[in-house]
Amino acid sequence: MVHIAWNPIYAHPLPEGHRFPMIKYELIPEQLLHEGVIIPSQLISPLPCDDKVILLTHDKIYLDKLDHQTLSEREQKRIGFPQSPALTLREKVITQGTIDCCVSALKTGVALNVAGGTHHAFADHGEGFCLLNDFAVAANWLLSEKLAQKILIIDLDVHQGNGTAKIFENEPAVFTFSMHGEHNYPFHKEKSDLDIPLKDGTDDNTYLSLLENNLQQLITVVKPDFAFFLSGVDILETDKFGKLKVTMEGCRQRDRLVYSTLHLSKIPCVTAMGGGYSADVRYIVEAHCNTFKEAMRTYS
Ligand SMILES: [Zn+2]
């Protein structure tokens, strides 16, 4: 059975002024259940990640600041949320959601977290609405438990996975691949193992052929035994910040391409949602739900 990590805390509590688009974390599971794409027993509810596991990736000084709300004004501004115990707890639960998905994906091939993909978090600081880097924490946990030897991170959010790239810049067991808008946040890009910067206005055909060629080659060359997929839907043409011209169908084909490629090579895959900022929340939810549909279609 394909497991989906979700906890009500994903959508609640929300700092003032951030209700939208975070409401998606409530709407996605509702919609999936409503459409019969998933059944309730597929939902697994994560607990907060243990500090010992977080410290495999993040610095103790930074984690202490999150635990005791001692981030400076400047550090909070960089993150974009005001600090609170609830926000730290939320981030720890989301991180554990990604780890729980790893355990599940090792058995069934795929698992999805209804949040996460917090790829702008660095070892010693957060930024861009990301506090802890869930993929990095989960990847380091997999390596420490000897559950994976070579991990591929496929980051297809429209923003570069700068935190992930930096965390793993000297880690040969993790290959970071990021396809992102060239002229988008973060304006200072870190160096992933493979970066594919996309021009403004990139359309379905260009996007999908670039992805297909690079992904296939990475599977052959990197030979990963585990993969993470950051399925941000801010690549959509309707996105307020994305700058690309990928259609809803193109976004769905992206997901299909990732899953079919990994499935064919028998590489377990954990997916996290990442960003999505279309003005109409229905587009965001539809695109994220398509990711689940494609996962279910491929793996069941
Ligand atoms: Zn993004």
Side-chain angles (χ1 to χ4, degrees), residues 119-120 157-159 232 234 274-277:
H119 58 167
H120 302 310
D157 191 274
V158 85
H159 303 104
D234 41 16
Y277 313 95

Side-chain angles (χ1 to χ4, degrees), residues 102 106 135 138-154 168-177 193-194 217-229 262 265-270:
C102 291
L106 284 166
F135 277 4
N140 279 326
W141 177 80
L142 281 169
L143 293 172
S144 76
E145 295 291 317
K146 304 207 181 328
L147 293 170
Q149 258 128 46
K150 189 81 187 191
I151 296 170
L152 173 63
I153 295 181
I154 304 162
F168 291 122
E169 67 176 342
N170 297 314
E171 175 52 84
V174 180
F175 191 101
T176 54
F177 165 43
D193 292 309
L194 177 62
Q217 195 167 357
L218 284 177
I219 302 290
T220 311
V221 176
V222 177
K223 298 188 177 60
D225 58 6
F226 200 96
F228 289 91
F229 169 31
L262 294 173
S265 304
K266 298 189 168 47
I267 301 164
C269 173
V270 165

Side-chain angles (χ1 to χ4, degrees), residues 25 38 45 63 72 78 97 107 166-167 169 183 210 212 220 259 261:
Y25 300 120
I38 62 166
S45 182
L63 183 58
S72 68
R78 203 168 181 188
K107 295 179 198 147
K166 185 70 182 169
I167 287 170
E169 67 176 342
H183 299 120
L210 271 171
E212 185 168 18
T220 311
Y259 288 131
T261 307

Side-chain angles (χ1 to χ4, degrees), residues 32 110 112 154-158 179 204 207-208 211-212 215 228-236 246-264 269-275 283-299:
L32 292 170
V110 75
L112 301 93
I154 304 162
D155 188 334
L156 302 182
D157 191 274
V158 85
M179 237 171 90
D204 287 0
Y207 187 95
L208 292 167
L211 176 60
E212 185 168 18
L215 190 57
F228 289 91
F229 169 31
L230 212 170
S231 61
V233 301
D234 41 16
I235 62 166
L236 284 177
V246 176
T247 65
M248 184 67 75
E249 181 53 27
C251 190
R252 185 170 185 155
Q253 283 183 31
R254 171 198 71 173
D255 301 339
R256 185 174 300 181
L257 182 58
V258 172
Y259 288 131
S260 59
T261 307
L262 294 173
H263 185 252
L264 197 66
C269 173
V270 165
T271 304
M273 296 302 104
Y283 288 112
I284 302 174
V285 173
E286 183 182 346
H288 282 309
C289 285
N290 284 341
T291 306
F292 288 83
K293 288 175 188 172
E294 287 305 320
M296 299 301 294
R297 207 178 70 91
T298 310
Y299 290 85

Side-chain angles (χ1 to χ4, degrees), residues 107-118:
K107 295 179 198 147
T108 63
V110 75
L112 301 93
N113 194 352
V114 185
T118 38

